Amino acid sequence: MSSTHYQPHKILITGGAGFIGANFIRYLLAHDPHVIIFNLDALTYAGSPHNLDQLPDPKRHTFIQGNICDAPLVRDLLQRHEIDTIIHFAAESHVDRSIQGPAPFIQTNVVGTFTLLEAAKQYWQTQKKWNHTQCRFHHVSTDEVYGTLTAIDPPFTEKTPYAPNSPYSASKAGSDHLVRAYFHTYQLPVTMSNCSNNYGPYQHPEKLIPTIIRACQTQQPIPLYGDGSNIRDWLYVEDHCSGIDLIVRQGQLGETYNIGGSHELNNITVAQSICALMDTLSPQSKPHTHLIQFITDRPGHDWRYAIDSCKIARELNWQAKVIFNEGLAKTIRFYLE
């Protein structure tokens, strides 16, 4: 099965009240006047209805509060709304929380993904008898499934072996393998993407960049794990959204595409960059860098992530457009407002 240009119509987005899902819904409503979106979100700690305030063309968006592990609900949604496209963001994604309590991560990320795949297979293939030109399942994953890199390792490619180190990344790896298996075993028309660290508007306050911005706003300590040397590849969320949209429409079926920002920075540099921008946008008596404090490192903390986006650039002509400082300034202004 190869892919021609695919046009989604009735889309089920899972986790659409979360950070990346809500940004993707905004992106899609603004860029494609033909799609109708059904947004299924359990509204756990990571999702908020406020992330969906002031959507472009809101009449094409319907919100359903519910859990992706609820098989009767998922089957009913597919049938009632004649869903032809599933874009699957819903996941428990906070590494620290997965260390404290892994069970919800296994349930949502593994069992939830399985539930969606089964419902899609049953509805599209058995009931509707649709072929790969009529339906699509896109699974959104993370670079963390590949494990960690040293300073001299090349960035992760789509061929990097999986080596997850936290309960979170292990559960995402499990879901990736299920999606791939449904393509190879059942010919379910799937595509997959693994992204680097996202940042931008509507991100959950526990994540690194919102935590630093909030600490600057409230003049509280900025907590950095270890010595702040951990390196991440930063991707502005709207760039990620454009990459996913392109994969859904033009990606090769059964293939994985890595989406990275090509902005590798250590945590101390990120903190200093935010402090410098806050010094300009919200000056205090002292530079904000005096708030930086180093705290005990978390267990199994991956040292470096970096993504090689050559495949999506080569095959789909995608590239990240937003440079880090520009995206960071937009993000800070969003939180200040």
Side-chain angles (χ1 to χ4, degrees), residues 280-315:
T280 307
L281 293 168
S282 181
Q284 301 290 330
S285 55
K286 285 186 192 166
H288 287 86
T289 46
H290 86 276
L291 299 169
I292 294 172
Q293 283 189 10
F294 298 103
I295 59 172
T296 308
D297 210 352
R298 72 176 173 217
H301 195 178
D302 290 339
W303 188 68
R304 172 180 166 237
Y305 303 140
I307 272 200
D308 179 332
S309 302
C310 286
K311 178 176 171 178
I312 189 173
R314 183 177 65 248
E315 292 188 12

PDB file of all heavy atoms in Angstrom, residues 280-315:
ATOM      1  N   THR A 280      13.369  41.652  29.697  1.00  0.00           N
ATOM      2  CA  THR A 280      12.876  42.688  28.786  1.00  0.00           C
ATOM      3  C   THR A 280      11.373  42.890  28.915  1.00  0.00           C
ATOM      4  O   THR A 280      10.889  44.018  28.994  1.00  0.00           O
ATOM      5  CB  THR A 280      13.196  42.288  27.316  1.00  0.00           C
ATOM      6  OG1 THR A 280      14.586  41.998  27.226  1.00  0.00           O
ATOM      7  CG2 THR A 280      12.840  43.381  26.346  1.00  0.00           C
ATOM      8  N   LEU A 281      10.626  41.773  28.945  1.00  0.00           N
ATOM      9  CA  LEU A 281       9.156  41.852  28.888  1.00  0.00           C
ATOM     10  C   LEU A 281       8.530  42.156  30.252  1.00  0.00           C
ATOM     11  O   LEU A 281       7.448  42.728  30.330  1.00  0.00           O
ATOM     12  CB  LEU A 281       8.583  40.532  28.355  1.00  0.00           C
ATOM     13  CG  LEU A 281       8.908  40.197  26.892  1.00  0.00           C
ATOM     14  CD1 LEU A 281       8.542  38.755  26.573  1.00  0.00           C
ATOM     15  CD2 LEU A 281       8.179  41.141  25.937  1.00  0.00           C
ATOM     16  N   SER A 282       9.208  41.757  31.332  1.00  0.00           N
ATOM     17  CA  SER A 282       8.636  41.935  32.670  1.00  0.00           C
ATOM     18  C   SER A 282       9.767  42.177  33.673  1.00  0.00           C
ATOM     19  O   SER A 282      10.068  41.357  34.532  1.00  0.00           O
ATOM     20  CB  SER A 282       7.852  40.663  33.035  1.00  0.00           C
ATOM     21  OG  SER A 282       7.269  40.790  34.306  1.00  0.00           O
ATOM     22  N   PRO A 283      10.458  43.337  33.536  1.00  0.00           N
ATOM     23  CA  PRO A 283      11.674  43.559  34.330  1.00  0.00           C
ATOM     24  C   PRO A 283      11.411  43.609  35.844  1.00  0.00           C
ATOM     25  O   PRO A 283      10.373  44.086  36.282  1.00  0.00           O
ATOM     26  CB  PRO A 283      12.196  44.918  33.820  1.00  0.00           C
ATOM     27  CG  PRO A 283      11.096  45.527  33.028  1.00  0.00           C
ATOM     28  CD  PRO A 283      10.129  44.454  32.640  1.00  0.00           C
ATOM     29  N   GLN A 284      12.381  43.072  36.597  1.00  0.00           N
ATOM     30  CA  GLN A 284      12.346  43.114  38.062  1.00  0.00           C
ATOM     31  C   GLN A 284      13.610  43.840  38.546  1.00  0.00           C
ATOM     32  O   GLN A 284      14.453  44.236  37.740  1.00  0.00           O
ATOM     33  CB  GLN A 284      12.313  41.680  38.616  1.00  0.00           C
ATOM     34  CG  GLN A 284      11.134  40.845  38.161  1.00  0.00           C
ATOM     35  CD  GLN A 284       9.812  41.293  38.768  1.00  0.00           C
ATOM     36  OE1 GLN A 284       9.779  41.819  39.884  1.00  0.00           O
ATOM     37  NE2 GLN A 284       8.726  41.098  38.030  1.00  0.00           N
ATOM     38  N   SER A 285      13.741  43.963  39.865  1.00  0.00           N
ATOM     39  CA  SER A 285      14.913  44.677  40.396  1.00  0.00           C
ATOM     40  C   SER A 285      16.221  43.932  40.104  1.00  0.00           C
ATOM     41  O   SER A 285      17.271  44.526  39.944  1.00  0.00           O
ATOM     42  CB  SER A 285      14.757  44.888  41.903  1.00  0.00           C
ATOM     43  OG  SER A 285      14.532  43.645  42.537  1.00  0.00           O
ATOM     44  N   LYS A 286      16.150  42.581  40.031  1.00  0.00           N
ATOM     45  CA  LYS A 286      17.341  41.768  39.712  1.00  0.00           C
ATOM     46  C   LYS A 286      17.069  40.979  38.435  1.00  0.00           C
ATOM     47  O   LYS A 286      15.912  40.663  38.140  1.00  0.00           O
ATOM     48  CB  LYS A 286      17.582  40.731  40.827  1.00  0.00           C
ATOM     49  CG  LYS A 286      18.153  41.256  42.114  1.00  0.00           C
ATOM     50  CD  LYS A 286      18.443  40.017  42.986  1.00  0.00           C
ATOM     51  CE  LYS A 286      18.752  40.381  44.424  1.00  0.00           C
ATOM     52  NZ  LYS A 286      18.703  39.171  45.278  1.00  0.00           N
ATOM     53  N   PRO A 287      18.134  40.584  37.685  1.00  0.00           N
ATOM     54  CA  PRO A 287      17.915  39.696  36.539  1.00  0.00           C
ATOM     55  C   PRO A 287      17.261  38.388  37.006  1.00  0.00           C
ATOM     56  O   PRO A 287      17.539  37.902  38.105  1.00  0.00           O
ATOM     57  CB  PRO A 287      19.331  39.425  36.011  1.00  0.00           C
ATOM     58  CG  PRO A 287      20.180  40.514  36.572  1.00  0.00           C
ATOM     59  CD  PRO A 287      19.547  40.936  37.872  1.00  0.00           C
ATOM     60  N   HIS A 288      16.393  37.837  36.155  1.00  0.00           N
ATOM     61  CA  HIS A 288      15.652  36.633  36.539  1.00  0.00           C
ATOM     62  C   HIS A 288      16.551  35.416  36.756  1.00  0.00           C
ATOM     63  O   HIS A 288      16.142  34.451  37.414  1.00  0.00           O
ATOM     64  CB  HIS A 288      14.584  36.310  35.485  1.00  0.00           C
ATOM     65  CG  HIS A 288      13.409  37.239  35.511  1.00  0.00           C
ATOM     66  ND1 HIS A 288      13.390  38.442  34.833  1.00  0.00           N
ATOM     67  CD2 HIS A 288      12.214  37.149  36.148  1.00  0.00           C
ATOM     68  CE1 HIS A 288      12.223  39.045  35.043  1.00  0.00           C
ATOM     69  NE2 HIS A 288      11.492  38.285  35.833  1.00  0.00           N
ATOM     70  N   THR A 289      17.769  35.440  36.214  1.00  0.00           N
ATOM     71  CA  THR A 289      18.662  34.277  36.372  1.00  0.00           C
ATOM     72  C   THR A 289      18.989  33.987  37.840  1.00  0.00           C
ATOM     73  O   THR A 289      19.377  32.867  38.163  1.00  0.00           O
ATOM     74  CB  THR A 289      19.985  34.458  35.598  1.00  0.00           C
ATOM     75  OG1 THR A 289      20.494  35.767  35.861  1.00  0.00           O
ATOM     76  CG2 THR A 289      19.797  34.269  34.099  1.00  0.00           C
ATOM     77  N   HIS A 290      18.825  34.971  38.727  1.00  0.00           N
ATOM     78  CA  HIS A 290      19.144  34.713  40.138  1.00  0.00           C
ATOM     79  C   HIS A 290      18.175  33.699  40.755  1.00  0.00           C
ATOM     80  O   HIS A 290      18.427  33.163  41.840  1.00  0.00           O
ATOM     81  CB  HIS A 290      19.159  36.028  40.954  1.00  0.00           C
ATOM     82  CG  HIS A 290      17.816  36.449  41.480  1.00  0.00           C
ATOM     83  ND1 HIS A 290      16.915  37.161  40.717  1.00  0.00           N
ATOM     84  CD2 HIS A 290      17.203  36.245  42.677  1.00  0.00           C
ATOM     85  CE1 HIS A 290      15.802  37.381  41.429  1.00  0.00           C
ATOM     86  NE2 HIS A 290      15.954  36.833  42.611  1.00  0.00           N
ATOM     87  N   LEU A 291      17.052  33.398  40.041  1.00  0.00           N
ATOM     88  CA  LEU A 291      16.058  32.450  40.552  1.00  0.00           C
ATOM     89  C   LEU A 291      16.430  30.993  40.275  1.00  0.00           C
ATOM     90  O   LEU A 291      15.840  30.075  40.845  1.00  0.00           O
ATOM     91  CB  LEU A 291      14.686  32.737  39.918  1.00  0.00           C
ATOM     92  CG  LEU A 291      14.073  34.124  40.197  1.00  0.00           C
ATOM     93  CD1 LEU A 291      12.868  34.355  39.296  1.00  0.00           C
ATOM     94  CD2 LEU A 291      13.677  34.269  41.668  1.00  0.00           C
ATOM     95  N   ILE A 292      17.407  30.761  39.381  1.00  0.00           N
ATOM     96  CA  ILE A 292      17.746  29.386  38.980  1.00  0.00           C
ATOM     97  C   ILE A 292      18.332  28.599  40.151  1.00  0.00           C
ATOM     98  O   ILE A 292      19.256  29.064  40.816  1.00  0.00           O
ATOM     99  CB  ILE A 292      18.719  29.386  37.777  1.00  0.00           C
ATOM    100  CG1 ILE A 292      18.029  29.959  36.527  1.00  0.00           C
ATOM    101  CG2 ILE A 292      19.249  27.981  37.493  1.00  0.00           C
ATOM    102  CD1 ILE A 292      18.949  30.172  35.330  1.00  0.00           C
ATOM    103  N   GLN A 293      17.749  27.425  40.396  1.00  0.00           N
ATOM    104  CA  GLN A 293      18.250  26.535  41.464  1.00  0.00           C
ATOM    105  C   GLN A 293      18.338  25.114  40.915  1.00  0.00           C
ATOM    106  O   GLN A 293      17.452  24.670  40.180  1.00  0.00           O
ATOM    107  CB  GLN A 293      17.287  26.532  42.658  1.00  0.00           C
ATOM    108  CG  GLN A 293      17.388  27.769  43.523  1.00  0.00           C
ATOM    109  CD  GLN A 293      16.575  27.624  44.805  1.00  0.00           C
ATOM    110  OE1 GLN A 293      16.088  26.541  45.129  1.00  0.00           O
ATOM    111  NE2 GLN A 293      16.429  28.718  45.533  1.00  0.00           N
ATOM    112  N   PHE A 294      19.397  24.404  41.302  1.00  0.00           N
ATOM    113  CA  PHE A 294      19.562  23.014  40.857  1.00  0.00           C
ATOM    114  C   PHE A 294      19.000  22.088  41.918  1.00  0.00           C
ATOM    115  O   PHE A 294      19.246  22.275  43.115  1.00  0.00           O
ATOM    116  CB  PHE A 294      21.038  22.726  40.575  1.00  0.00           C
ATOM    117  CG  PHE A 294      21.574  23.591  39.467  1.00  0.00           C
ATOM    118  CD1 PHE A 294      22.384  24.691  39.744  1.00  0.00           C
ATOM    119  CD2 PHE A 294      21.226  23.341  38.146  1.00  0.00           C
ATOM    120  CE1 PHE A 294      22.850  25.509  38.728  1.00  0.00           C
ATOM    121  CE2 PHE A 294      21.691  24.150  37.117  1.00  0.00           C
ATOM    122  CZ  PHE A 294      22.502  25.238  37.408  1.00  0.00           C
ATOM    123  N   ILE A 295      18.214  21.096  41.455  1.00  0.00           N
ATOM    124  CA  ILE A 295      17.570  20.160  42.385  1.00  0.00           C
ATOM    125  C   ILE A 295      18.020  18.738  42.053  1.00  0.00           C
ATOM    126  O   ILE A 295      18.576  18.485  40.985  1.00  0.00           O
ATOM    127  CB  ILE A 295      16.025  20.277  42.345  1.00  0.00           C
ATOM    128  CG1 ILE A 295      15.489  19.985  40.929  1.00  0.00           C
ATOM    129  CG2 ILE A 295      15.569  21.652  42.817  1.00  0.00           C
ATOM    130  CD1 ILE A 295      13.974  19.893  40.834  1.00  0.00           C
ATOM    131  N   THR A 296      17.766  17.804  42.992  1.00  0.00           N
ATOM    132  CA  THR A 296      18.181  16.406  42.806  1.00  0.00           C
ATOM    133  C   THR A 296      17.617  15.854  41.504  1.00  0.00           C
ATOM    134  O   THR A 296      16.430  16.015  41.215  1.00  0.00           O
ATOM    135  CB  THR A 296      17.662  15.547  43.977  1.00  0.00           C
ATOM    136  OG1 THR A 296      18.069  16.172  45.192  1.00  0.00           O
ATOM    137  CG2 THR A 296      18.236  14.133  43.920  1.00  0.00           C
ATOM    138  N   ASP A 297      18.468  15.211  40.739  1.00  0.00           N
ATOM    139  CA  ASP A 297      18.056  14.671  39.446  1.00  0.00           C
ATOM    140  C   ASP A 297      17.009  13.583  39.631  1.00  0.00           C
ATOM    141  O   ASP A 297      16.974  12.905  40.653  1.00  0.00           O
ATOM    142  CB  ASP A 297      19.275  14.094  38.706  1.00  0.00           C
ATOM    143  CG  ASP A 297      19.126  14.192  37.193  1.00  0.00           C
ATOM    144  OD1 ASP A 297      18.024  14.555  36.733  1.00  0.00           O
ATOM    145  OD2 ASP A 297      20.108  13.912  36.482  1.00  0.00           O
ATOM    146  N   ARG A 298      16.141  13.418  38.623  1.00  0.00           N
ATOM    147  CA  ARG A 298      15.115  12.385  38.718  1.00  0.00           C
ATOM    148  C   ARG A 298      15.705  11.028  38.308  1.00  0.00           C
ATOM    149  O   ARG A 298      16.689  10.973  37.565  1.00  0.00           O
ATOM    150  CB  ARG A 298      13.902  12.737  37.859  1.00  0.00           C
ATOM    151  CG  ARG A 298      14.096  12.627  36.370  1.00  0.00           C
ATOM    152  CD  ARG A 298      12.771  12.924  35.679  1.00  0.00           C
ATOM    153  NE  ARG A 298      12.922  12.985  34.234  1.00  0.00           N
ATOM    154  CZ  ARG A 298      12.263  13.833  33.463  1.00  0.00           C
ATOM    155  NH1 ARG A 298      11.435  14.720  33.987  1.00  0.00           N
ATOM    156  NH2 ARG A 298      12.417  13.802  32.152  1.00  0.00           N
ATOM    157  N   PRO A 299      15.079   9.917  38.761  1.00  0.00           N
ATOM    158  CA  PRO A 299      15.600   8.588  38.408  1.00  0.00           C
ATOM    159  C   PRO A 299      15.536   8.346  36.901  1.00  0.00           C
ATOM    160  O   PRO A 299      14.567   8.738  36.251  1.00  0.00           O
ATOM    161  CB  PRO A 299      14.653   7.620  39.141  1.00  0.00           C
ATOM    162  CG  PRO A 299      13.909   8.441  40.143  1.00  0.00           C
ATOM    163  CD  PRO A 299      13.895   9.844  39.633  1.00  0.00           C
ATOM    164  N   GLY A 300      16.557   7.715  36.349  1.00  0.00           N
ATOM    165  CA  GLY A 300      16.553   7.320  34.938  1.00  0.00           C
ATOM    166  C   GLY A 300      16.419   8.474  33.966  1.00  0.00           C
ATOM    167  O   GLY A 300      15.818   8.344  32.912  1.00  0.00           O
ATOM    168  N   HIS A 301      16.955   9.628  34.340  1.00  0.00           N
ATOM    169  CA  HIS A 301      16.786  10.845  33.525  1.00  0.00           C
ATOM    170  C   HIS A 301      17.624  10.739  32.249  1.00  0.00           C
ATOM    171  O   HIS A 301      18.849  10.692  32.304  1.00  0.00           O
ATOM    172  CB  HIS A 301      17.222  12.063  34.353  1.00  0.00           C
ATOM    173  CG  HIS A 301      16.779  13.364  33.769  1.00  0.00           C
ATOM    174  ND1 HIS A 301      17.033  14.575  34.372  1.00  0.00           N
ATOM    175  CD2 HIS A 301      16.098  13.661  32.633  1.00  0.00           C
ATOM    176  CE1 HIS A 301      16.527  15.555  33.630  1.00  0.00           C
ATOM    177  NE2 HIS A 301      15.957  15.018  32.565  1.00  0.00           N
ATOM    178  N   ASP A 302      16.962  10.676  31.080  1.00  0.00           N
ATOM    179  CA  ASP A 302      17.681  10.614  29.804  1.00  0.00           C
ATOM    180  C   ASP A 302      18.491  11.898  29.615  1.00  0.00           C
ATOM    181  O   ASP A 302      17.993  13.005  29.855  1.00  0.00           O
ATOM    182  CB  ASP A 302      16.706  10.443  28.635  1.00  0.00           C
ATOM    183  CG  ASP A 302      16.064   9.056  28.611  1.00  0.00           C
ATOM    184  OD1 ASP A 302      16.650   8.132  29.209  1.00  0.00           O
ATOM    185  OD2 ASP A 302      14.997   8.911  28.010  1.00  0.00           O
ATOM    186  N   TRP A 303      19.747  11.728  29.147  1.00  0.00           N
ATOM    187  CA  TRP A 303      20.622  12.902  29.092  1.00  0.00           C
ATOM    188  C   TRP A 303      20.384  13.777  27.864  1.00  0.00           C
ATOM    189  O   TRP A 303      20.324  14.989  27.954  1.00  0.00           O
ATOM    190  CB  TRP A 303      22.108  12.479  29.147  1.00  0.00           C
ATOM    191  CG  TRP A 303      22.977  13.684  29.298  1.00  0.00           C
ATOM    192  CD1 TRP A 303      23.070  14.507  30.400  1.00  0.00           C
ATOM    193  CD2 TRP A 303      23.832  14.257  28.311  1.00  0.00           C
ATOM    194  NE1 TRP A 303      23.931  15.544  30.166  1.00  0.00           N
ATOM    195  CE2 TRP A 303      24.425  15.421  28.878  1.00  0.00           C
ATOM    196  CE3 TRP A 303      24.174  13.905  27.004  1.00  0.00           C
ATOM    197  CZ2 TRP A 303      25.322  16.223  28.192  1.00  0.00           C
ATOM    198  CZ3 TRP A 303      25.074  14.704  26.313  1.00  0.00           C
ATOM    199  CH2 TRP A 303      25.637  15.857  26.911  1.00  0.00           C
ATOM    200  N   ARG A 304      20.222  13.139  26.711  1.00  0.00           N
ATOM    201  CA  ARG A 304      20.084  13.948  25.492  1.00  0.00           C
ATOM    202  C   ARG A 304      19.105  13.291  24.524  1.00  0.00           C
ATOM    203  O   ARG A 304      19.133  12.081  24.339  1.00  0.00           O
ATOM    204  CB  ARG A 304      21.457  14.097  24.818  1.00  0.00           C
ATOM    205  CG  ARG A 304      21.423  14.760  23.452  1.00  0.00           C
ATOM    206  CD  ARG A 304      22.817  14.878  22.832  1.00  0.00           C
ATOM    207  NE  ARG A 304      22.727  15.214  21.419  1.00  0.00           N
ATOM    208  CZ  ARG A 304      23.260  14.501  20.417  1.00  0.00           C
ATOM    209  NH1 ARG A 304      23.971  13.416  20.678  1.00  0.00           N
ATOM    210  NH2 ARG A 304      23.092  14.865  19.167  1.00  0.00           N
ATOM    211  N   TYR A 305      18.230  14.118  23.942  1.00  0.00           N
ATOM    212  CA  TYR A 305      17.406  13.693  22.810  1.00  0.00           C
ATOM    213  C   TYR A 305      17.723  14.608  21.639  1.00  0.00           C
ATOM    214  O   TYR A 305      17.908  15.812  21.815  1.00  0.00           O
ATOM    215  CB  TYR A 305      15.901  13.857  23.082  1.00  0.00           C
ATOM    216  CG  TYR A 305      15.347  13.143  24.289  1.00  0.00           C
ATOM    217  CD1 TYR A 305      14.402  13.773  25.097  1.00  0.00           C
ATOM    218  CD2 TYR A 305      15.720  11.849  24.603  1.00  0.00           C
ATOM    219  CE1 TYR A 305      13.852  13.131  26.187  1.00  0.00           C
ATOM    220  CE2 TYR A 305      15.184  11.201  25.697  1.00  0.00           C
ATOM    221  CZ  TYR A 305      14.241  11.844  26.494  1.00  0.00           C
ATOM    222  OH  TYR A 305      13.704  11.213  27.567  1.00  0.00           O
ATOM    223  N   ALA A 306      17.758  14.038  20.446  1.00  0.00           N
ATOM    224  CA  ALA A 306      17.902  14.849  19.230  1.00  0.00           C
ATOM    225  C   ALA A 306      17.285  14.070  18.084  1.00  0.00           C
ATOM    226  O   ALA A 306      17.431  12.854  18.014  1.00  0.00           O
ATOM    227  CB  ALA A 306      19.374  15.128  18.943  1.00  0.00           C
ATOM    228  N   ILE A 307      16.595  14.765  17.213  1.00  0.00           N
ATOM    229  CA  ILE A 307      15.879  14.103  16.114  1.00  0.00           C
ATOM    230  C   ILE A 307      16.446  14.530  14.770  1.00  0.00           C
ATOM    231  O   ILE A 307      16.708  15.709  14.535  1.00  0.00           O
ATOM    232  CB  ILE A 307      14.363  14.408  16.207  1.00  0.00           C
ATOM    233  CG1 ILE A 307      13.717  13.357  17.105  1.00  0.00           C
ATOM    234  CG2 ILE A 307      13.719  14.454  14.847  1.00  0.00           C
ATOM    235  CD1 ILE A 307      12.236  13.217  16.940  1.00  0.00           C
ATOM    236  N   ASP A 308      16.632  13.532  13.918  1.00  0.00           N
ATOM    237  CA  ASP A 308      17.024  13.757  12.526  1.00  0.00           C
ATOM    238  C   ASP A 308      15.739  13.783  11.697  1.00  0.00           C
ATOM    239  O   ASP A 308      15.053  12.763  11.590  1.00  0.00           O
ATOM    240  CB  ASP A 308      17.941  12.600  12.090  1.00  0.00           C
ATOM    241  CG  ASP A 308      18.404  12.718  10.649  1.00  0.00           C
ATOM    242  OD1 ASP A 308      17.679  13.319   9.839  1.00  0.00           O
ATOM    243  OD2 ASP A 308      19.482  12.194  10.336  1.00  0.00           O
ATOM    244  N   SER A 309      15.402  14.939  11.137  1.00  0.00           N
ATOM    245  CA  SER A 309      14.154  15.100  10.364  1.00  0.00           C
ATOM    246  C   SER A 309      14.371  14.981   8.863  1.00  0.00           C
ATOM    247  O   SER A 309      13.530  15.422   8.081  1.00  0.00           O
ATOM    248  CB  SER A 309      13.523  16.472  10.663  1.00  0.00           C
ATOM    249  OG  SER A 309      13.251  16.618  12.027  1.00  0.00           O
ATOM    250  N   CYS A 310      15.477  14.359   8.448  1.00  0.00           N
ATOM    251  CA  CYS A 310      15.803  14.309   7.011  1.00  0.00           C
ATOM    252  C   CYS A 310      14.736  13.585   6.191  1.00  0.00           C
ATOM    253  O   CYS A 310      14.455  13.965   5.060  1.00  0.00           O
ATOM    254  CB  CYS A 310      17.156  13.635   6.781  1.00  0.00           C
ATOM    255  SG  CYS A 310      18.525  14.698   7.258  1.00  0.00           S
ATOM    256  N   LYS A 311      14.138  12.526   6.774  1.00  0.00           N
ATOM    257  CA  LYS A 311      13.180  11.729   5.992  1.00  0.00           C
ATOM    258  C   LYS A 311      11.946  12.556   5.634  1.00  0.00           C
ATOM    259  O   LYS A 311      11.519  12.574   4.475  1.00  0.00           O
ATOM    260  CB  LYS A 311      12.776  10.476   6.780  1.00  0.00           C
ATOM    261  CG  LYS A 311      11.736   9.617   6.062  1.00  0.00           C
ATOM    262  CD  LYS A 311      11.447   8.355   6.854  1.00  0.00           C
ATOM    263  CE  LYS A 311      10.269   7.587   6.280  1.00  0.00           C
ATOM    264  NZ  LYS A 311      10.015   6.336   7.010  1.00  0.00           N
ATOM    265  N   ILE A 312      11.361  13.264   6.613  1.00  0.00           N
ATOM    266  CA  ILE A 312      10.159  14.059   6.324  1.00  0.00           C
ATOM    267  C   ILE A 312      10.509  15.255   5.422  1.00  0.00           C
ATOM    268  O   ILE A 312       9.707  15.680   4.592  1.00  0.00           O
ATOM    269  CB  ILE A 312       9.428  14.497   7.619  1.00  0.00           C
ATOM    270  CG1 ILE A 312       8.067  15.121   7.287  1.00  0.00           C
ATOM    271  CG2 ILE A 312      10.278  15.410   8.485  1.00  0.00           C
ATOM    272  CD1 ILE A 312       7.203  15.426   8.500  1.00  0.00           C
ATOM    273  N   ALA A 313      11.733  15.761   5.555  1.00  0.00           N
ATOM    274  CA  ALA A 313      12.175  16.852   4.669  1.00  0.00           C
ATOM    275  C   ALA A 313      12.308  16.344   3.234  1.00  0.00           C
ATOM    276  O   ALA A 313      11.833  16.982   2.278  1.00  0.00           O
ATOM    277  CB  ALA A 313      13.506  17.419   5.160  1.00  0.00           C
ATOM    278  N   ARG A 314      12.917  15.181   3.105  1.00  0.00           N
ATOM    279  CA  ARG A 314      13.177  14.618   1.774  1.00  0.00           C
ATOM    280  C   ARG A 314      11.883  14.147   1.093  1.00  0.00           C
ATOM    281  O   ARG A 314      11.635  14.442  -0.069  1.00  0.00           O
ATOM    282  CB  ARG A 314      14.148  13.446   1.939  1.00  0.00           C
ATOM    283  CG  ARG A 314      14.605  12.771   0.654  1.00  0.00           C
ATOM    284  CD  ARG A 314      15.620  11.657   0.949  1.00  0.00           C
ATOM    285  NE  ARG A 314      15.036  10.559   1.716  1.00  0.00           N
ATOM    286  CZ  ARG A 314      15.354  10.256   2.986  1.00  0.00           C
ATOM    287  NH1 ARG A 314      16.270  10.966   3.652  1.00  0.00           N
ATOM    288  NH2 ARG A 314      14.780   9.235   3.615  1.00  0.00           N
ATOM    289  N   GLU A 315      11.049  13.411   1.834  1.00  0.00           N
ATOM    290  CA  GLU A 315       9.876  12.785   1.208  1.00  0.00           C
ATOM    291  C   GLU A 315       8.679  13.725   1.109  1.00  0.00           C
ATOM    292  O   GLU A 315       7.893  13.636   0.172  1.00  0.00           O
ATOM    293  CB  GLU A 315       9.477  11.523   1.985  1.00  0.00           C
ATOM    294  CG  GLU A 315      10.503  10.408   1.877  1.00  0.00           C
ATOM    295  CD  GLU A 315      10.011   9.099   2.474  1.00  0.00           C
ATOM    296  OE1 GLU A 315       8.798   8.974   2.765  1.00  0.00           O
ATOM    297  OE2 GLU A 315      10.847   8.195   2.658  1.00  0.00           O
TER     298      GLU A 315
END
